[in-house]
Amino acid sequence: MTAAAPATVAVHVLLFASYAERLGFESLELRLPASETVAGVVERIRALPGGNGLPIQPLCAVNLTHVPLEYPVTAGDEIAILPPLAGG
């Protein structure tokens, strides 16, 4: 008998710089449908008070690797939503 896949997964979301300032926190835990993508995470963050200041397509990373918004999330992932980066 095969174990059923979990219906939801828990992920850790990190916000930086102006994004953290707008939302009033630097991290949060989310419980999401098991089939969710990074785009779904961004939508949930944008729905929070202050979240409308985030762009629809911000730069994101999962477990320290830059990924497209279509990237699927799995249980325990760390998702970073990154503001525009400048270098020197």
Side-chain angles (χ1 to χ4, degrees):
M1 178 179 236
T2 304
T8 62
V9 296
V11 298
H12 186 74
V13 181
L14 301 173
L15 301 164
F16 297 93
S18 61
Y19 296 167
E21 291 172 14
R22 288 180 183 143
L23 283 135
F25 52 86
E26 295 178 350
S27 68
L28 76 152
E29 300 292 324
L30 288 178
R31 185 157 287 282
L32 308 163
S35 61
E36 193 61 86
T37 63
V38 172
V41 172
V42 171
E43 287 175 23
R44 287 174 187 261
I45 301 299
R46 286 180 46 82
L48 296 173
N52 61 347
L54 271 66
I56 294 171
Q57 298 183 342
L59 182 62
C60 295
V62 174
N63 302 324
L64 302 176
T65 301
H66 289 256
V67 297
L69 293 175
E70 301 79 27
Y71 191 86
V73 298
T74 59
D77 279 349
E78 179 182 79
I79 298 140
I81 302 177
L82 306 165
L85 303 174

